[in-house]
Amino acid sequence: MHPFTIVFIYLLLVYICANIIHMEYKTGTNINLLFSQPQNTVITVKGLTAAGVTHAQILRFEKADILKRLNTGAYARFNENPDILGAIYSLQNDLKLTAHIGGRTALSLVYGKTQYAAERKSELFCYKQEKLPAWFKSVYADSYTQFMTDFLPEKEGLTEWEHAGYRILVSSQERALLEMLYQVPGTVTPQEAFEILQLITAIKPAVMQKLLESCKSVKAKRLLLCFAELCGHQWFSRLKIENIDLGSGKREIANGGKLYTKYNLVLPEGLETL
C-alpha cells in the first residue's frame, strides 16, 4: 500500500474518532443540561434546541426513557409529572411569556388569604395578544382559567415566588386584588370580593398607588377604594386618591342595590355587615 494512502487512512480514522468523542461529550453535556433544570418542570423543545440539543438527540433521550413526551413540543423527565406551576415556569423561562398566577389563586396559594386555590382552577393572567403554546392548552386544559387583559401594565406588580425548588413570577398581593376586582360581577361576586378584601390588612401603599394610577379599569379602581374604606383598613388612608383617575358616570355592579355616592357605585345591600 502506498505510504500516502496509509497516512490518509490514518488521518481519516483520527478524524472519525475525534468526532465520535465530541458527540459523546456533547451528549453527556446535554444530559447534564436536562438534569440541571428544576425538578417537576416542563422541558420544552424550544428550550432544548436553544441550548444546543438537536432533535435527533431529543428522540434518543425519549427512546432511552430519559425523557417522556407530554405533547408536541413538551417533555418531562421520565419519572416526573409537572403540575401547572411547573409548566408556568417553562412558559416564563423558555418562552419568555408574561403568563402568571394572579387574582384569587395568588391571594390563596401565595399569600394564604383564601381557600380558593384548593377548590377551583388556577387563574392564569396573560397580557392581551399573548398566545399560549398548544402543548400547554392541551395538557393543562382542566387546570386553569385564562384571562387575557391589558388593564394593568404588562410587568408591573409582579414578584418572584419560590415554589418546590424553582421561582416563578406571580402577582403581588396588590396586583392580585385588582385582578380579582376586575372580574366583579362576572366570575367573582361582590360579596366574595369584599370578604377577601376584608382579610387584606397589610399591603404596600406605594405599590398599590402606582398600580391604581396606571390601571385602566375604572370599575376595579373604584371597587378597591370603596371596599378598603368600608373595611377601615389603615393602608387606605395612605393612598392619594386625588392622583387616581376614577372616570365619570355610575357603575352598577348590582341591580337595585345601594348607591355609594362617593365612588358612584351601585353595590349589593348589606356589604358592611359581612
Side-chain angles (χ1 to χ4, degrees):
M1 186 179 292
H2 195 281
F4 178 80
T5 304
I6 296 173
V7 172
F8 176 77
I9 293 172
Y10 172 76
L11 291 175
L12 180 62
L13 290 173
V14 168
Y15 174 79
I16 293 171
C17 289
N19 272 278
I20 292 172
I21 292 170
H22 174 71
M23 290 176 64
E24 291 297 321
Y25 171 78
K26 190 173 182 181
T27 299
T29 301
N30 288 336
I31 290 176
N32 290 336
L33 173 69
L34 295 181
F35 287 94
S36 67
Q37 180 158 328
Q39 293 182 347
N40 291 304
T41 57
V42 173
I43 299 172
T44 67
V45 170
K46 184 172 182 178
L48 288 173
T49 54
V53 182
T54 66
H55 288 280
Q57 287 174 323
I58 294 171
L59 291 175
R60 285 204 296 271
F61 293 151
E62 186 178 357
K63 289 179 180 178
D65 288 342
I66 296 171
L67 292 176
K68 65 178 178 182
R69 186 191 297 260
L70 300 177
N71 202 275
T72 302
Y75 289 84
R77 294 187 190 89
F78 191 75
N79 61 339
E80 294 180 358
N81 296 292
D83 63 12
I84 189 169
L85 297 177
I88 290 172
Y89 170 89
S90 302
L91 293 182
Q92 294 178 356
N93 286 272
D94 289 357
L95 308 184
K96 309 303 178 186
L97 300 181
T98 62
H100 63 275
I101 291 294
R104 290 172 292 178
T105 305
L107 292 171
S108 173
L109 189 64
V110 181
Y111 305 106
K113 297 301 182 182
T114 76
Q115 296 302 311
Y116 176 84
E119 300 169 359
R120 306 173 190 169
K121 294 181 180 181
S122 296
E123 294 186 342
L124 186 68
F125 285 81
C126 304
Y127 201 68
K128 199 172 182 179
Q129 308 301 329
E130 193 171 64
K131 294 182 179 180
L132 295 174
W135 62 260
F136 182 88
K137 291 189 285 187
S138 176
V139 176
Y140 298 96
D142 296 330
S143 301
Y144 73 96
T145 301
Q146 183 181 4
F147 297 91
M148 301 288 289
T149 71
D150 63 354
F151 77 101
L152 289 170
E154 188 174 3
K155 298 181 180 179
E156 195 168 300
L158 297 179
T159 185
E160 276 197 344
W161 177 54
E162 186 168 353
H163 169 75
Y166 55 86
R167 292 176 174 270
I168 58 173
L169 287 175
V170 299
S171 290
S172 64
Q173 192 170 231
E174 295 78 12
R175 181 175 178 125
L177 282 174
L178 289 171
E179 289 170 338
M180 174 187 70
L181 294 170
Y182 181 77
Q183 301 174 55
V184 175
T187 55
V188 181
T189 66
Q191 293 86 346
E192 181 185 5
F194 184 77
E195 288 176 343
I196 291 173
L197 206 138
Q198 283 180 311
L199 303 173
I200 313 298
T201 56
I203 67 162
K204 297 175 181 176
V207 174
M208 181 60 82
Q209 182 73 38
K210 189 174 182 181
L211 284 167
L212 286 169
E213 290 182 16
S214 59
C215 179
K216 297 178 184 177
S217 173
V218 169
K219 175 190 69 176
K221 290 185 285 189
R222 289 192 197 178
L223 284 170
L224 186 282
L225 294 171
C226 182
F227 285 179
E229 186 171 8
L230 289 175
C231 292
H233 287 319
Q234 291 184 356
W235 51 263
F236 170 77
S237 63
R238 297 178 62 186
L239 298 175
K240 298 176 182 178
I241 300 178
E242 65 275 12
N243 294 339
I244 302 167
D245 180 9
L246 295 177
S248 60
K250 184 168 62 177
R251 297 296 192 275
E252 193 165 336
I253 306 301
N255 293 329
K258 176 181 177 180
L259 176 63
Y260 290 80
T261 54
K262 181 176 179 179
Y263 298 102
N264 216 357
L265 282 171
V266 178
L267 296 170
E269 294 273 3
L271 278 180
E272 300 94 326
T273 64
L274 292 176

